[in-house]
Amino acid sequence: MKVANTHQIVLAGTSLGVRNTFHSIVAILTTLVVVTTVCLRQDGGHLPPKINASGSNSSSSSSSSKCDLFYGKWVFDNESYPLYKEKECTFMSDQLACAKFGRKDLSYQNWRWQPHHCDLTRFNATALLERLRNKRLVFVGDSLIRGQWVSMVCLVDSVLPKTLKSMHSTANGSLNIFKAKEYNASIEHYWSPLLVESNSDDPVNHRVPERTVRVKAIEKHARYWTDADFLVFNTYLWWRRPVMNVLWGSFGDPDGVYKGVEMLRVYEMALRTWSDWLEVHVNRNKTQLFFVSMSPTHERAEEWGAAKGNNCYSETEMIAEEGYWGKGSDPKMMHMVENVLDDLKARGLNVQMLNITQLSEYRKEGHPSIYRKQWDALTQEQIANPNSYADCIHWCLPGVPDVWNELLYAYIFHQ
């Protein structure tokens, strides 16, 4: 009998012989329990290796019983990918519909993420909807996690009849709800780019010259998502500045105290407020929690060896260098998140990190660039220099966020 490549248990025919049948059976059963426990254990970014129909491990020569889903490579696969067609997704966002807005090279849609020592289970929309029956899956955060939400909606959209799905907004437009009526399931996005309360909380008018956060205030947002069955958070992009304005008090309160504080310290305070709220208010017997790591940007082409002053505009190939890490991704912020999640785990609440940063770092060609709806009219200077308005932050769909959701899907079914 073989359980994975790394755990072989011989039931008979050993050179040592078996003198006591009863003790041998006990030893075998004990070993099986231990091996099963190891294979099912989740820790950090690991899942059990995928077992194929024959019972053998799809991993090659790993010495571990766990597979790091986030450590792998991109494989071109134009037979299986994309998982849906851009123009057939009912609720596609014009911010992410790159083909609609003129992009001709569509190979960014045909890449599959392949972990080194196992396979990702193929996304099954019907299975996910069944898992979500009578439940809420809520994405909370900024426009990047909104893109992941749009991706998830597109992934399930095609299996639902037109009359059995709907989309509506509430909470002054902050909460967008996709409903699969037959399953009484909802897939939602709540706009909260800094998680805690801020002066950027309006889902439309959130561009402000100076960003201010109330690091101790989260209830305004959290009351809309605390009772969800699956919660997926992110917050990174909106923190990218050396100093943040912190408000002690309420917006509009003449007695409020404002102070500029080093960003990383404010980031920690906000994460602590968020984690404290989760610990007190989330039903740990009901809700699965996830945190999506920072989504990389590709705004400086010299970082991957191209001409200085360029960015993702006109890029059609991914970065080949294994382990490439751009300067736009801040390890200190990532470690801060890890520390907060570790503290929560020590208090009995598990939040699974979806570590999408490294795998997304390679995908410089996956951004909308100039191929998206432009909310403001372009100037003649911008038209003459496409680099100046290229979007190298968000991601085309179908594309990279679909893989983020494949990873989320794996954890929803294995956790």
Side-chain angles (χ1 to χ4, degrees), residues 249-287:
S250 301
F251 287 106
D253 181 357
D255 297 322
V257 177
Y258 291 82
K259 184 179 181 180
V261 181
E262 188 267 330
M263 179 275 292
L264 196 62
R265 178 70 184 109
V266 186
Y267 190 59
E268 180 183 20
M269 289 190 286
L271 289 173
R272 296 293 177 187
T273 297
W274 166 79
S275 66
D276 289 345
W277 177 273
L278 292 181
E279 182 186 14
V280 173
H281 295 277
V282 163
N283 182 347
R284 58 197 71 196
N285 295 319
K286 169 188 175 183
T287 304

Side-chain angles (χ1 to χ4, degrees), residues 111-324:
W111 291 93
R112 170 173 55 84
W113 179 248
Q114 177 62 59
H116 282 315
H117 300 301
C118 58
D119 296 323
L120 270 176
T121 303
R122 183 168 175 83
F123 189 94
N124 185 313
T126 303
L128 179 66
L129 289 168
E130 191 60 55
R131 182 75 174 85
L132 295 180
R133 184 180 290 277
N134 301 318
K135 292 180 172 63
R136 296 175 67 202
L137 166 59
V138 185
F139 295 85
V140 180
D142 59 23
S143 57
L144 286 159
I145 209 163
R146 182 174 61 203
Q148 186 176 353
W149 166 72
V150 173
S151 161
M152 185 64 86
V153 169
C154 290
L155 283 164
V156 303
D157 178 62
S158 63
V159 302
L160 295 168
K162 186 176 181 180
T163 58
L164 294 179
K165 56 191 173 187
S166 64
M167 181 78 75
H168 72 278
S169 299
T170 186
N172 295 319
S174 292
L175 182 62
N176 293 293
I177 303 171
F178 171 82
K179 194 80 172 181
K181 299 177 183 179
E182 179 183 355
Y183 296 87
N184 190 33
S186 66
I187 302 173
E188 310 172 27
H189 172 259
Y190 184 85
W191 173 262
S192 180
L194 295 115
L195 295 185
V196 294
E197 193 174 336
S198 76
N199 63 345
S200 297
D201 287 343
D202 189 294
V204 178
N205 301 311
H206 43 247
R207 295 182 181 180
V208 294
E210 290 192 11
R211 200 156 294 153
T212 301
V213 293
R214 295 180 65 206
V215 289
K216 296 297 183 182
I218 197 170
E219 184 173 1
K220 169 188 169 183
H221 302 313
R223 60 195 178 99
Y224 289 103
W225 42 255
T226 301
D227 66 343
D229 301 274
F230 304 91
L231 277 169
V232 188
F233 297 95
N234 90 323
T235 185
Y236 168 65
L237 183 66
W238 288 65
W239 294 91
R240 297 193 310 166
R241 52 189 62 198
V243 176
M244 298 285 288
N245 288 327
V246 179
L247 168 62
W248 282 271
S250 301
F251 287 106
D253 181 357
D255 297 322
V257 177
Y258 291 82
K259 184 179 181 180
V261 181
E262 188 267 330
M263 179 275 292
L264 196 62
R265 178 70 184 109
V266 186
Y267 190 59
E268 180 183 20
M269 289 190 286
L271 289 173
R272 296 293 177 187
T273 297
W274 166 79
S275 66
D276 289 345
W277 177 273
L278 292 181
E279 182 186 14
V280 173
H281 295 277
V282 163
N283 182 347
R284 58 197 71 196
N285 295 319
K286 169 188 175 183
T287 304
Q288 282 184 241
L289 300 165
F290 303 89
F291 194 101
V292 181
S293 67
M294 62 187 69
S295 174
T297 62
H298 294 93
E299 298 177 304
R300 296 178 177 85
E302 62 269 23
E303 293 181 5
W304 59 82
K308 186 175 183 179
N310 290 342
N311 51 30
C312 72
Y313 171 66
S314 76
E315 292 287 351
T316 59
E317 297 181 359
M318 69 176 65
I319 295 169
E321 177 191 347
E322 186 170 6
Y324 170 84

Side-chain angles (χ1 to χ4, degrees), residues 326-342:
K327 294 180 181 178
S329 300
D330 188 341
K332 292 181 180 178
M333 294 180 72
M334 202 159 175
H335 293 152
M336 186 68 70
V337 173
E338 291 172 347
N339 290 338
V340 171
L341 299 193
D342 286 344

